[in-house]
Amino acid sequence: FSSSRIRNFSIIAHIDHGKSTLADRLLESTATVASRDMTNQLLDNMDLERERGITIKLQAARVLYRSREDNEMYVLNLIDTPGHVDFSYEVSRSLAACEGALLVVDASQGIEAQTLANVYLALENSLEIIPILNKIDLPAADPDRVTEEIKDTIGLDCSNIVRASAKSGIGIDDILESIVKYVPPPKPDTGGPFRALIFDSLYDPYRGVIVFMRVMDGAVKRGDPIRFLNSRAEHDVVEVGIMNPNQVPVDCLRAGEVGYLCASIRDVLDARVGDTIVLSSEYKAAAKLLDPDSKEEPITPLPGYQVAVPMVFCGIFPVDADQYENLRDALGKMRLNDAAITYEPETSGAMGFGFRCGFLGLLHMDVVRERLEREYDLDLIVTAPTVVYKVEKGEGEKKTVEIVDTPSKMPEIMRDMKVFEPYVKVEILTPSEYNGQVIELGQERRGILIDIKYLTPTRSTIVYEIPLAEVITDFFDQLKSRTKGYASMEYQLIEYRPGNLVRLDVKINYEDAPPLATIVHVDAAQTVGRRLVESLKELIPRQMFKVPIQACIGVKVIASAVISPMMKDVLAKCYGGDISRKKKLLKKQAKGKKRMKLMGKVNVPQEAFMAVIKLD
Ligand code: GTP
């Protein structure tokens, strides 16, 4: 196929607006996948994804389509993008592999926060955007209103907006025609050296890393030695192919095409999303032409590469010390597929051996934890997520910067010390009647109000700058509950700013419980301390003895509570009486024991570790 007959596109949408359903329908209607082979949502291939109905890992599929207009065959490459903010870097790279994007908007809901965030990413990548109104089969659909909204808020030309229902198959042909008509073909081959952009990778135990890429210039074939510009890794290509959507080997991939390659790569760190692949031979030839002292890359990397940095950290410990090795192996296997996970061993008196793990965001953390437990059958205790702080000490020449990703490691406040914390820009979309509630929440969370805009007479965007630490608590849940579920949000890291922060320690039975320590703003310390001890009092089961719980800053106790001992007659319930009831109680006890760690002679359950992020 000449590149004039290729169209590379993505589908962008807010969660649940129907992206996956539409992708399925496009594959089905072009007979790429026979209907009977169609498991729902073919592109989301992880079980967990399917269950949660969210796209985490992106994949691609190639579709052949005969255009009604000129009766010619076209190759349409659909590149799926993850739908969640944690993965916005991956979204951006997968969009960079395309020339156009279908913007799917639910005709009953209208524009949401992720619709906008994705549109910005698409515009940054100079994509042609084709608006699609989905779910027009719903009685609540209001296509005229939503069309106006898209025109007014995004400023898109909506003259050729497609009205569709991915579910009932309305408008699918029109969408395919629009792709051929409006998505520009890839730029013709420049004749320059081979360059390809990695937009995803996958670890296969037999073939090693499978790299999904868009070829920008030149061509690559089996046997070619290749080089990854950023990781500097070199490998020999074992196979190149296309996604049909199953992998089908081909002889060669050329400029404009989307495909995969395998090269016996053992580590995903060699082939990270956003890196540029070149041919070793062309690289060497170009290097010879450069000044030997030159720092310049002989072949210019494709723009936009960055390392995805973890922003949220937590401790992960096996309940049972015997499972430590299994946990290590499991993390190793997960990392093979996901270069964005970091982990290093962490040991603590109370928790035993485990790992300090870093993630892109809360959802990323949640998904990894769930997969560890489910796919590797591990029982885990996970400590509350925290952000990474920077602690500056000294002045001028003697200045040192320490990175703190564990609250209990935050040094005691001293005079010439400054603590910095990450801030994010949060963009919230809400029906305007809830503006007040959203602003109230923003203020409670140390937010700085940046902007309020009416998108339409009834919908607003509210922009805040907020410490990330405040967002990774129950911010999203609070936002949802205060707006009756109608608001949506996106956030993005902006910078580190100094904060008046202190470490809040927790003592159980007068013993330090470092995994429960947290970092708070001085002004909130009192309130957080009080709520935390109250909440722990509820979450930690009663013992045979009195258990004092204290929140302290340094040596000063700022709040305390006491768990009163179990009374005899509570115990008595276990004796006598109905045998099945007794069994039930025993079983409940056994189950409860599972996720606990001993601190201050008290078994502390999993929920207590998360108490600090749910204090309202
Ligand atoms: P993420 O993968 O989380 O980004 O979601 P998504 O945008 O891929 O949404 P998905 O395709 O999973 O659809 C969300 C829900 O909307 C599912 O329950 C679909 O069955 C439903 N849905 C999708 N398209 C239509 C449509 O045209 N009409 C109706 N009535 N429902 C639809």
Side-chain angles (χ1 to χ4, degrees), residues 249-519:
V250 297
D251 293 334
C252 178
L253 285 175
R254 290 190 182 79
E257 290 188 297
V258 171
Y260 71 93
L261 71 75
C262 313
S264 305
I265 307 165
R266 288 285 137 207
D267 195 336
V268 275
L269 291 184
D270 281 3
R272 295 184 77 149
V273 169
D275 204 348
T276 304
I277 312 175
V278 300
L279 295 181
S280 301
S281 55
E282 289 176 342
Y283 183 86
K284 280 183 201 132
K288 279 203 188 115
L289 300 177
L290 282 182
D291 185 334
D293 297 328
S294 167
K295 293 233 164 19
E296 207 181 314
E297 276 286 6
I299 298 177
T300 315
L302 295 164
Y305 178 77
Q306 72 187 58
V307 179
V309 259
M311 298 220 282
V312 175
F313 283 75
C314 70
I316 299 186
F317 297 85
V319 173
D320 201 337
D322 292 350
Q323 284 195 334
Y324 175 76
E325 299 285 321
N326 299 358
L327 173 58
R328 193 187 55 199
D329 291 350
L331 279 168
K333 283 192 188 129
M334 300 268 283
R335 226 272 297 136
L336 282 177
N337 245 322
D338 185 348
I341 304 176
T342 62
Y343 64 98
E344 53 183 58
E346 179 179 29
T347 326
S348 94
M351 307 296 281
F353 291 96
F355 295 91
R356 190 83 199 154
C357 304
F359 305 96
L360 298 176
L362 277 188
L363 179 86
H364 188 212
M365 169 178 135
D366 231 33
V367 166
V368 172
R369 180 191 52 77
E370 208 164 316
R371 289 187 59 198
L372 285 172
E373 298 196 329
R374 207 187 284 203
E375 292 168 28
Y376 297 92
D377 200 21
L378 296 164
D379 288 322
L380 304 172
I381 295 263
V382 178
T383 62
T386 75
V387 304
V388 180
Y389 297 89
K390 290 183 183 166
V391 179
E392 252 181 45
K393 284 184 197 159
E395 295 276 328
E397 297 260 296
K398 290 207 191 100
K399 191 163 89 180
T400 60
V401 180
E402 196 181 326
I403 304 287
V404 177
D405 64 10
T406 317
S408 62
K409 295 209 179 111
M410 176 68 86
E412 299 260 345
I413 297 296
M414 290 185 308
R415 248 189 305 128
D416 61 345
M417 181 173 128
K418 254 199 225 144
V419 182
F420 291 79
E421 63 178 333
Y423 268 69
V424 289
K425 183 172 134 200
V426 180
E427 182 152 9
I428 298 163
L429 251 82
T430 176
S432 307
E433 55 186 299
Y434 300 114
N435 283 3
Q437 282 88 330
V438 172
I439 289 166
E440 199 173 61
L441 177 64
Q443 300 308 121
E444 283 169 25
R445 301 302 169 99
R446 297 196 277 137
I448 303 160
L449 182 62
I450 300 297
D451 194 17
I452 303 186
K453 260 205 300 269
Y454 281 83
L455 287 181
T456 67
T458 54
R459 282 158 62 79
S460 314
T461 59
I462 300 178
V463 180
Y464 262 100
E465 290 177 0
I466 301 187
L468 175 60
E470 302 283 345
V471 177
I472 63 172
T473 56
D474 58 347
F475 188 89
F476 186 60
D477 294 345
Q478 283 294 325
L479 179 69
K480 282 279 176 195
S481 81
R482 293 181 194 199
T483 61
K484 305 225 158 54
Y486 284 118
S488 56
M489 67 174 252
E490 276 291 320
Y491 67 83
Q492 144 189 33
L493 185 69
I494 44 178
E495 61 182 354
Y496 272 78
R497 291 182 189 169
N500 205 352
L501 303 167
V502 285
R503 190 181 81 217
L504 186 70
D505 292 318
V506 173
K507 288 190 166 139
I508 299 177
N509 226 352
Y510 305 113
E511 270 183 41
D512 248 332
L516 298 181
T518 179
I519 291 169

